[in-house]
């Protein structure tokens, strides 16, 4: 907590808003897939999820450029207002006076749109007001808070989602209103677009074309695409693997551990380790080179996920989870700090927008890998994950070396 109180006001407020947003939205988050499936059927649910991913991609691209042209605070305000409106609409659609799943979807799409805008402005602001020396501390704290929010929100969702959705959606609205008020009255603008107008491309296509000419950054972007595929495994192939016949159900102290429970144990293990050991790992690796931290962290995650899809019992799945989270604790501060360091200070929003496109792209690829998984099974998937790790580490090391040479 000492690190937190030593930060500037804007950074502290940004971390607080991260916690509020993630905590409240995690109370409904992934459980909405169950909601759509129950009320609209599996086929429509799949289509709605695809639509949501495509919109997330487009919003990230647009909002990233928007924040360079109009500033961080206006972007965050538009995002917070839109998110509040969308959450309120979804709440009304599940209130005692109305029940409409389609209106719920429209409201949550609007909320997602708003969060994309808000996050682009807030992420760019965080880069504006941090330095190479402070970024590992700031991004570690932000990641730590994010994990606590997800853990608490998911726990609340597990207990209350089925019978108290209206209340949970009301909590989401409350969180959005609080963040809106923080942005309006407490956040200070960190980027005046007027002073940077001569360096800005008002045409969004030309702006991203300019970013694409930064070969060092594009190599790093390619590397993070593959590494992001590792982070998405808990939502894609791993549940398929654990829910199949390959996993051997066990009993520990009289408690039956089957596939779904094993997935929960792995998720809880990850969250607990991040919360307890993030600061320790950051301090232990603080003097490591960027290439060492990036490579070792990514390789440990890749080995962890490969072991997870190859394993068929509780012990090895648990060891895989520990190996993976160890890699994650090393990797995240280095990766996020490097990401910010490589951005052109005049186009931070556009660079951030390019990164925001990575998540939905990785999700689409991972979804395709799950669809084709009957052809190669768990053994083949483990090999694919090791290949994916290599495809992430190699261009990552090249881009870091190019960047460090250029910086010197």
């Amino acid at each position: 907590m000492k690190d937190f109180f030593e930060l500037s006001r804007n950074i502290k407020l940004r971390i607080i808003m991260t916690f509020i947003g993630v905590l409240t939205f995690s109370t409904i988050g992934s459980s909405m897939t169950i909601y759509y499936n129950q009320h609209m059927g599996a086929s429509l649910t799949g289509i709605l999820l695809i639509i949501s991913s495509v919109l997330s991609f487009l919003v990230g691209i647009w909002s990233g450029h928007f924040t360079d042209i109009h500033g961080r605070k206006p972007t965050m305000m538009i995002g917070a207002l839109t998110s509040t409106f969308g959450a309120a609409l979804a709440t009304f659609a599940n209130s005692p006076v109305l029940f409409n799943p389609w209106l719920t979807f429209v409201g949550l799409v609007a909320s997602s749109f708003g969060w994309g805008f808000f996050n682009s402005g807030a992420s760019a602001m965080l880069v504006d007001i941090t330095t190479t020396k402070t970024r590992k501390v700031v991004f570690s704290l932000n990641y730590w808070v994010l994990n606590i929010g997800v853990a608490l929100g998911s726990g609340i969702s597990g207990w209350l989602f089925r019978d108290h959705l209206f209340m949970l959606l009301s909590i989401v609205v409350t969180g959005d209103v609080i963040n809106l008020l923080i942005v309006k009255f407490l956040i200070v603008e960190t980027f005046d677009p007027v002073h940077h107008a001569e360096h800005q491309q008002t045409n969004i296509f030309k702006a991203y074309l300019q970013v694409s000419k930064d070969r060092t950054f594009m190599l790093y972007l390619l590397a993070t695409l593959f590494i992001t595929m590792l982070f998405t495994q808990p939502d894609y192939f791993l549940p398929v693997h654990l829910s199949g016949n390959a996993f051997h159900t066990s009993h520990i102290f009289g408690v039956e551990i089957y596939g779904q429970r094993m997935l929960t144990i792995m998720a809880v293990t990850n969250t607990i380790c991040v919360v307890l050991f993030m600061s320790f790992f950051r301090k232990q690796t603080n003097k490591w080179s960027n290439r060492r931290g990036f490579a070792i962290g990514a390789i440990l995650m890749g080995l962890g996920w490969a072991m997870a899809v190859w394993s068929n019992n509780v012990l090895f799945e648990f060891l895989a989870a520990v190996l993976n989270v160890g890699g994650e604790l090393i990797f995240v501060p280095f990766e996020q700090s490097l990401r910010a360091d490589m951005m052109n200070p005049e186009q931070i929003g556009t660079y951030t927008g390019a990164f925001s496109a990575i998540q939905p792209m990785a999700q689409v690829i991972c979804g395709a890998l799950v669809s084709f998984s009957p052809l190669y099974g768990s053994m083949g998937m483990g090999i694919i994950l090791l290949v994916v790790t290599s495809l992430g580490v190699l261009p990552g090391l090249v881009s870091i070396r190019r960047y460090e040479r250029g910086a010197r």
Side-chain angles (χ1 to χ4, degrees), residues 225-227 229-230 232-233 237 298 301-303 305-307 309-310 362 365-393:
L225 170 62
F226 289 111
I227 302 301
M229 291 173 60
L230 299 178
T232 60
Q233 289 311 302
F237 186 77
M301 285 194 297
L303 291 173
W305 287 120
M307 181 188 292
V309 301
W310 283 335
I365 297 172
C366 288
L369 288 175
V370 171
S371 297
F372 290 109
S373 61
L375 298 177
Y376 39 76
S378 296
M379 182 58 67
M381 190 65 193
I383 294 172
I384 289 173
L385 291 177
L386 292 179
V387 172
V388 165
T389 304
S390 300
L391 293 174
V393 170

Side-chain angles (χ1 to χ4, degrees), residues 147 151 261-277 314 317-326 328-329:
N147 273 270
R261 283 184 176 170
M262 189 68 241
L263 185 65
T264 302
I265 290 171
M266 294 176 76
V268 170
T269 299
N270 182 281
T271 302
I272 290 174
C273 288
V274 169
V275 172
L276 294 181
F277 301 117
V314 172
E317 292 292 354
F318 180 76
L319 291 175
V322 172
L323 184 62
N324 171 64
V325 75
E328 184 179 328
L329 289 168

Side-chain angles (χ1 to χ4, degrees), residues 127-324:
V127 178
D128 290 337
I129 55 181
T130 55
T131 65
T132 300
K133 292 183 179 180
T134 62
R135 279 172 185 151
K136 285 181 184 176
V137 174
V138 172
F139 289 127
S140 294
L141 278 171
N142 199 58
Y143 192 71
W144 182 75
V145 165
L146 185 148
N147 273 270
I148 293 178
V150 169
L152 293 175
S154 299
I156 294 170
S157 177
W159 285 102
L160 301 177
F161 183 86
R162 189 188 67 178
D163 300 319
H164 302 282
L165 178 58
F166 174 70
M167 182 181 72
L168 295 182
L169 286 167
S170 300
I171 291 173
V172 175
V173 175
T174 303
D176 284 346
V177 170
I178 293 172
N179 279 344
L180 175 63
L181 294 175
I182 291 174
V183 174
K184 175 65 177 176
F185 297 107
L186 299 177
I187 287 291
V188 178
E189 179 62 88
T190 60
F191 182 84
D192 185 354
V194 174
H195 294 160
H196 300 265
E198 61 181 294
H199 302 285
Q200 300 298 332
Q201 285 285 355
T202 55
N203 184 298
I204 188 171
F205 298 104
K206 289 182 179 180
Y208 280 102
L209 180 62
Q210 192 169 327
V211 170
S212 70
K213 294 177 181 178
D214 185 342
R215 294 183 179 180
T216 299
F217 175 77
M218 293 306 291
L219 267 175
Y220 192 75
L221 197 66
L222 177 65
T224 55
L225 170 62
F226 289 111
I227 302 301
T228 301
M229 291 173 60
L230 299 178
F231 279 99
T232 60
Q233 289 311 302
D235 297 322
Y236 285 86
F237 186 77
L238 187 61
V240 174
H241 170 69
L242 292 177
S243 62
N245 296 324
F247 182 74
H248 298 161
T249 300
S250 303
H251 291 80
I252 299 178
F253 302 115
V255 178
E256 184 180 15
I257 308 298
Y258 49 85
Q260 188 174 359
R261 283 184 176 170
M262 189 68 241
L263 185 65
T264 302
I265 290 171
M266 294 176 76
V268 170
T269 299
N270 182 281
T271 302
I272 290 174
C273 288
V274 169
V275 172
L276 294 181
F277 301 117
M278 173 61 86
S279 178
F280 172 79
F281 270 75
R282 178 178 55 78
K283 290 176 181 177
Q284 294 301 310
T285 61
N286 193 45
K287 295 183 180 180
W288 286 16
S289 68
N290 287 325
R291 279 178 281 175
R292 182 184 180 188
F294 184 95
I296 291 178
I299 290 169
L300 287 176
M301 285 194 297
L303 291 173
W305 287 120
M307 181 188 292
V309 301
W310 283 335
S311 301
N312 58 11
N313 62 69
V314 172
L315 175 61
F316 282 102
E317 292 292 354
F318 180 76
L319 291 175
V322 172
L323 184 62
N324 171 64

